[in-house]
Amino acid sequence: MGTIYAIANQKGGVGKTTTAVNVAACIAEAGYETLLVDIDPQANATVGLGLPKDGEPNVYSVLSGLADTEEALVPTAIERLKVLPSHPDLAGANVELPRQPGSENLLRHALARVASRFSFVILDCPPSLGPLTVNALVAADRVIVPVQTEYFALEGLAGLLDTLALVQRELNPRLTVAGMLLTMHDNRTRLGRDVEREVRQHFPDLVFDTVIPRNVRIGEAPSYGVPVIHHDPHCLGSDAYFELAKEVAARG
Ligand code: ADP
Ligand code: MG
C-alpha cells in the first residue's frame, strides 16, 4: 500500500495545485509509481497535466459510484504518473456528500482498490475545509500544507492545524502533518525573509527544509499542460521541487 499525501490549505492561491502536480511529477521521475488525484472542481491539476477538465470517467463519477476507480485512471506524458482527473460537476458533491451517511469515507474506499499499485498517491484539495477536503484527509496518511510567504501567511494556520487534529481524532487516526511548505518565496525581499523566520519560529520542526521560490517557469508550465520539470528542467523551480520530492520520498 502506497503512502497517501493530501495537499491542503483552505486558502486559495497558496501553491497547492502547483505543489501537487510538481511533487507528483518529480516522484514519478525518480522511479516511483505515482497517482495524482484531482479532488478540486476547478480541475487545475487536471488541466495543468494536459488533460481536458470535463473528461469521462473522472473522480466525480467514481465517488458517485458510476465508474470504477481503475477505469478512471489516465496516463500522462510523464512515465509512471497517472491521474484521476476532476470535473466541474464535482462542485455538486459539496452539497450531495453531507446528505449521505458515511460519505466522508467515499474517497478512501475508492482509492483502497488501486492504492497498492502506487508507491505514492497525491491528493490536490480544493481551497476550503468542506466535504471534499475532509474526504481527502480521511483517505490520507499525511498532509502537506503549502504556505505562501506573504504578510498574512500565519493567518488561518492555527485553525487549519486544529481542523487536522480534529479529523485525526474523530475520523482518521493515521493522519499526520508531514510539514508546512513555504511557497512563492522571494528571498530578496525583507518581507519574504521575515515571514520565513516567523513561520519557522512558530512551528519548529514542522516546516520543510526545502523552500519553493517564486519562479516564472513554475507559473508558465500549466499553460503548456506540463509540470515545470518538463517545461524547463534546469530552472530554480524545478530544482526546488526535485529537492522537495527527495524530502518526501525519504520519509516514505
Ligand atoms: P492553489 O492550488 O493553492 O489555489 P496554485 O498552485 O494554483 O494555488 O497557485 C496559484 C497561482 O500561483 C497559479 O497561477 C500558479 O501558477 C502560481 N504559482 C504557484 N507557485 C508558484 C511559484 N513558486 N512561482 C510562481 N508562480 C507560482
Ligand atoms: Mg488549486
Side-chain angles (χ1 to χ4, degrees):
M1 186 85 173
T3 309
I4 305 181
Y5 279 87
I7 316 293
N9 186 332
Q10 76 276 24
K11 271 197 199 183
V14 297
K16 287 183 293 298
T17 299
T18 305
T19 296
V21 166
N22 289 300
V23 166
C26 289
I27 290 178
E29 193 98 337
Y32 300 97
E33 291 295 330
T34 307
L35 172 63
L36 174 65
V37 180
D38 187 354
I39 186 123
D40 182 353
Q42 292 182 74
N44 292 343
T46 301
V47 173
L49 282 168
L51 301 172
K53 68 167 164 191
D54 50 5
E56 295 282 348
N58 50 63
V59 71
Y60 182 63
S61 30
V62 169
L63 292 180
S64 311
L66 299 171
D68 183 58
T69 315
E70 183 67 50
E71 68 191 34
L73 305 185
V74 183
T76 67
I78 295 115
E79 222 189 318
R80 292 178 293 271
L81 176 60
K82 289 203 169 58
V83 179
L84 177 50
S86 185
H87 190 286
D89 283 354
L90 187 60
N94 280 314
V95 179
E96 296 155 13
L97 286 178
R99 296 169 188 230
Q100 309 163 23
S103 64
E104 66 274 10
N105 290 305
L106 282 176
L107 183 64
R108 185 167 69 84
H109 291 319
L111 292 180
R113 293 195 273 277
V114 297
S116 61
R117 292 198 359 243
F118 296 96
S119 301
F120 291 93
V121 179
I122 312 283
L123 313 176
D124 184 27
C125 294
S128 78
L129 294 173
L132 289 169
T133 299
V134 170
N135 254 269
L137 296 176
V138 169
D141 301 297
R142 295 176 202 168
V143 196
I144 293 175
V145 180
V147 176
Q148 189 179 349
T149 54
E150 41 135 66
Y151 182 62
F152 291 113
L154 284 167
E155 198 144 298
L157 277 185
L160 177 58
L161 291 180
D162 286 347
T163 302
L164 295 177
L166 183 73
V167 171
Q168 199 233 20
R169 202 166 59 236
E170 303 287 331
L171 298 168
N172 177 9
R174 296 186 328 278
L175 188 70
T176 58
V177 179
M180 296 180 181
L181 172 69
L182 298 173
T183 62
M184 290 178 249
H185 185 57
D186 191 345
N187 199 31
R188 293 163 310 180
T189 66
R190 170 143 184 216
L191 177 65
R193 293 192 301 270
D194 284 352
V195 171
E196 175 174 8
R197 188 173 354 94
E198 203 178 343
V199 175
R200 289 193 189 280
Q201 269 169 7
H202 255 81
F203 304 102
D205 308 324
L206 213 53
V207 185
F208 281 101
D209 293 337
T210 305
V211 174
I212 308 299
R214 183 171 283 286
N215 177 261
V216 174
R217 296 304 205 192
I218 291 179
E220 285 171 356
S223 65
Y224 296 91
V226 293
V228 69
I229 54 166
H230 276 206
H231 179 50
D232 184 349
H234 302 296
C235 69
L236 287 176
S238 293
D239 291 348
Y241 274 113
F242 267 127
E243 278 305 309
L244 177 66
K246 269 195 235 160
E247 268 195 76
V248 169
R251 293 168 189 222

